[in-house]
Amino acid sequence: MDFRDVCDIFGGTIFLEEPRGNFATAREQIEHRERSAAEASNDEKAAILLLKAIHAALVGSLFGDDESPKFQQYMSPLYQGDFGPRWQFRIKVYIVLVSSWQFYPPLFRFCTLERGPVSMLLDTISQAHAHNSRLVKELLDLVDEVEPQDELEFRIIREVWTLAQRALEAARISNPSYLYHVLGSNNSKHKPEIFENCCSRLADVRELAEALSFDTISNYAERLILEVRQAQGSPESSHLLKSLKKRYEASNDEVGIGICYILRADSLVSGPFTNPIALNLLPVDGWDYLGSDTNLDELNYISTLSKGYSFNAKSLTKDVADVSEELDAMHLKESAGNADDDRDSWEVAVSAAILCYKEAEDIFLKAGAVRGQALAISRRACTLLTRELLPRSYWDDRDRIILDEIKGLFEQSCELFAKADDTILVKLTQMHLMLLASHGNKDIYEVKHNIGEWGYNSGNWTYTAQLGLLAFRLGDHLRYECGSSSRARLSYHCAGSVLLELRAQGTSLFQLQCAIVSLFLSTSSSKAGKLYLQIAKISFEKRVKVELERAAEQDPSWSAGIGFFAMVLADLLIAACQKWESAATMRKVCSDQLRLVESYDSSPISQRWLRRKRAVIHIYSLISEYEEDLDRGDSEVGESKLTDFLEHTNVSEDEDIDTKLARIDVCLQLRRFDMAQDLLKTVDVCELLTEFSMGLAALPNIGDNLYKRRRSIKAYESKLQRCINARDWRKSAELVELLESFSPDHFEFPGNYSYVEPWQRFLWIGLLQESQKKYETSYHSFRQSLLVFYHEWISVSDQEQRRSQLNHNDFNRIATALARFHLRRHTAEAPVLSVLSRKVDRTKVRIIERWNTDIILSKDAGQVDALEALERGKALSIAASLSFKVESSIADVREWDRTHHSFRTWLDLLTLGRPRTEDEEKEYQLLDKSDRLLDLGANPLNVDKRPLSDQVLMYPEILAGIPDDTVVIYYSLSEDGLALLSIARTGILSAFWNPEISASATRQMVCRYVGSIAEHKDSAPEDWLVCLALSMSEVFIEPLQADIRSRSQVIFIPSGDLARFPLGALYLDNLPLLLQKAIFQVPSLSALYHLGQRPMCTQSRVSVIARPGTIRDNDEAALPMAGIEALLVGKMFGSAPLEASGVSRNQFREELEQCSIMHLSTHGYFDTSAPRLSYISLQERFRVIDMLTVRTKAVLVIFSACVSGTGITNKGDDVLGFSHAILAAGAHVYVGALWTANDLVTMIHMILFYMELAMMEKPTRLADVWRQATLFLYIAKPYQIKGLLASFHTRWDDIEAAGLLPNQFVRNGRRKLQKAIDEWITPSGEPALDLTHPYYWANFVMIGNANITMHAAPRSV
């Protein structure tokens, strides 16, 4: 068997790029040959073993331990057997070839691998080349001793493979239109003689093969010459292509003709050394420690493709004209002639290439060349993907047709590759399909693991690693070039899964993990960001350090690399802790990391960097402490710390940039905009460039170098963000002009290179335009910002990531900006309402004009548009949950609930900002070992893949949920101000804009009020609380007081921290509002509507649970009054109360799902560091996150427990707490406490509520019943409360007389109740507790559709 036989069996050549090959057919031929040679000679046995080995290599089965036949398995007997010197020589020849395939796959021989993440493989590739060079040297020494045909085989393999590589490299450097030259890179490597020498030697191979009538190799060599000439940008390539095609036509070689069409299309659509593989259409240069290493010529994607590649307009027009004539597509020639710019030319070229690929596909189909057909189809799919979808920041419904077409082409090519037994290209096609798939596709998670496992088990380590790293690079492109965080996240996730399964280098995984953390930092995805930060820390400790320390044993300079990667991790930790962690956690975690950096790198540069970072940690710790003080109601304490820092820390001229930026952030935190503006003047671009180079070196002479320009964009965007927040509009305008000089249309097109989200850029430019009174232009920018945000938000199926996106600092500014614009169209100029002090200067208060309340406002009215804009940004997570209609089977939904709950619990416990308790640690360890955990973002039920219009209603449908005789008070807070509307069923009544009441100012007021009560309880100065409530009422109630007075019921839609404020404690006409009106809260108008559409529980079952303290677990205080409360409520409804300490988590879930009313009296705990781990005390903790597994139809759920009604509100007004979680689970109305509760007063309040409900003669709104109960509690005389308690005493006796043994439920309960009665009135005649204090009467809030009417029929009152 000679070389000709080998090539013929595999379709003409043994090189992987040959479209003729069909490995399934080759396998059949080899098996037939083996069966025919029953008593074969040694030569024949060796030949069969070699053919099997080559086939295994071609189908991607090289090495490994699985059961599939391997190249290694067949080569070993050849190598060890006694087949003679000839076979020893041939074995080494093919080992060289296959080793080259393994470490530098032919599929990627045209890739630019010298830079970017793929360059991390170059050391491995270099080692493979060194090994191959030694083998080649041995073969050269033996070449004189072998047969001529074996020498010919060796030289052809060596020349065709090696020369092609060298020629392509030389062509890359010599091509003036290639990125080496476009980027202004050093061209010292350019040596034209190398290129010409390689081409000359390839021509010699072609002539030799032609002389030996070896036509397939001769044609293949000519193809290689053509390809390198195309890569060089030589005009000769077009002539060569025509010549090659004529040769194929003369020999009636249809497959060859099809190959010519593929070559033509490749030259049209792709750059030099770039096969049209969508994963690899993006050349790279440089490395960004936050993940960006994409480096293209222009910031506009299409311009880059057209300018950075090897054709120019003239040659392109000629090529298109040739295609037009050959395929009778004259419209292409006309389009090429009419092209105005490079982008138009490139699009015409792509259209011509698609025609060529389709023609090649038809030819291959006719000739029966399955693999060629698959190659043509996959190339067409990649070209469509590149042209239609990759440049977009998002895909809308119009793209679905194209997307389906592309997916169909990939699926078709995948089937054909599988039919041809080409596993390598099957995996490539699967990678494309995986990156196109949505999160909701279950198959995507199986495929990505399958690719990594296949690469590891088959020995295709480098090839598979390149697939993973190219997906990483595509993620960078989608993030920085297209501005699509959701699609970038998917690409990163696919890349990480492949690399992880492959057991890839630690540095590769670490860099990918850092990029993912950076992405989550930019989108405020705290849970996911913390998860990947943990993974990055583990990766650094267990893989990066180990690998680099091993390398440092051979070369000590590698130890500096550990310090560098430790710096990278430290930067991420500081940024993450600054956003997501407490001051204590920040100091500990970041300081530990800095010590690690210091232990590996003690250079002066490192020491300077460490000093800067320690200063930053100190400053941001102060900011974090301020936030914590604010939450406790001690805003003055926290503010004084920051003020002292600003006033007593001198600003030096040589102060580093990190400290300057942190100092500016302190000013912004305190809203000292003038001071921030002064500090911004001291920050120049060179300093910012130093900061974004990790402080290791400045980047002087900012010029044409693309890497420096990209760094400049990051620096300018960082400064612009602070200028916008500091209201420094003059400097902002200068920065916008600079950014647009680097990146035209930077603030108009999402797909520009940027380090921030596209919607943020549109928001910033809109705010700047608004400050310049360019209102119509600013409106367009705000609308664009909202549109882009929603496309990103709706494309994320994971609920946690959706919620996190809504918590971005700038998100709520978009809707309020749009509302502000619409209000301005119908109002006087900028109103001002100031209530930061207790006394308001009435001369500074200007109220926006009122509108006619007697008509339904038209759709074009400004306030209607404002409402719609606000509603689009209001509590979207809860709106999505409330509007979701279960379409899957109950079993599927239940399984999804359980799996989703397990994953979210594991994620919360993993990323907990405090030490885990013993029980939490046990649960975490159990979940961590579970194989039922989801991939991040998995959502098999597609619960969130519905259009936004299904979740957020528009005008006038949005008014349908508002009851009659009701006014809705609608708040929307941002850092720009407060939007305030009153709305009735007939339309919008009033609308106001207050620029002086920001979200942070409101937070201060709420924290002062709630924090004071939480800390001091009824000892909090009542006069001070009333004064503060009156001041807040002037902002939040007084502008709408006429609308409120005229209606009996008020529905509040809170915003920001108002969600944890007792809005019923605000004043109207010097009296708390709750005492005058029926009041409840809803997350949004859409939520109110969806709540009204919910089915109610058809069962009339009341579940009562209490923890009276008969068993005191976990040192919890006894709650005897809670037990008595439960006994009395249970007696009213004929329901025996359950002891909370005996109710498991599952039992409570069942009770909640089966009852119409749930009343729970127990301990409640709020976890500020992890609000979803807040819980109520049962036999075990029932947490907010456990509500994920509940689906109920309960009408009323009351948690008579401390802090059960509070939560943390994100920037999108979704509340992390029991209130929204219970509504999302299906309940109609929820009642919970904002602060710690007094169990005696709570018992009185709750029994009053049920008594009022029972005494109503007709069905009554729950909100009215709650108001009556609260009013009685507030105005009751001491003797009335004592008489009420005495009636409780009587009921106890009735329960006991009925043989129900209440003393077993509440030990000594009767005696304790009697004690409360005896002590209620003091000797001075005053009540023991002042029930007019808001600590008592304002604690519990009613959330949900409390307009529901009930006519309960308790058995005794």
Side-chain angles (χ1 to χ4, degrees), residues 136 235 247 284 306 387 425 433 499 503 519 553 589 663 707 760 873 900 1012 1061 1072 1094 1317 1354:
V136 170
R247 290 182 59 176
V284 296
S306 58
R387 182 184 71 178
L425 291 182
L433 279 169
L499 294 175
R503 287 78 155 176
L519 177 65
E553 293 175 1
V589 172
R663 192 187 294 275
Y707 185 68
Q760 279 182 278
H900 186 233
S1012 177
F1061 181 82
R1094 277 190 164 172
I1317 296 170

Side-chain angles (χ1 to χ4, degrees), residues 163-176:
L163 289 176
Q165 297 296 329
R166 295 184 65 190
L168 289 169
E169 172 64 21
R172 173 180 6 210
I173 297 173
S174 63
N175 186 349

Side-chain angles (χ1 to χ4, degrees), residues 69 380 388 534 548 573 588 609 696 918 963 989 1121 1185 1203 1209 1240:
R380 184 152 60 98
E388 300 292 343
Q534 292 272 12
L548 295 180
L573 280 169
K588 181 181 186 308
W609 182 87
L696 302 180
E918 184 178 345
L989 307 175
M1121 297 304 162
I1185 199 170
V1203 292
T1209 309
L1240 175 59

Side-chain angles (χ1 to χ4, degrees), residues 32 88 133 244 271 386 524 564 568 650 768 847 919 1064 1180 1188 1214 1262:
H32 175 73
Q88 291 297 316
S133 298
L244 180 62
T386 307
S524 298
F564 172 77
V568 171
N650 297 324
L768 175 60
I847 304 297
D919 289 340
E1180 51 194 328
L1188 287 171
D1214 278 303
L1262 284 176

Side-chain angles (χ1 to χ4, degrees), residues 346-358:
W346 184 80
E347 290 185 345
V348 173
V350 168
S351 299
I354 290 172
L355 285 178
C356 288
Y357 288 136
K358 186 66 176 71

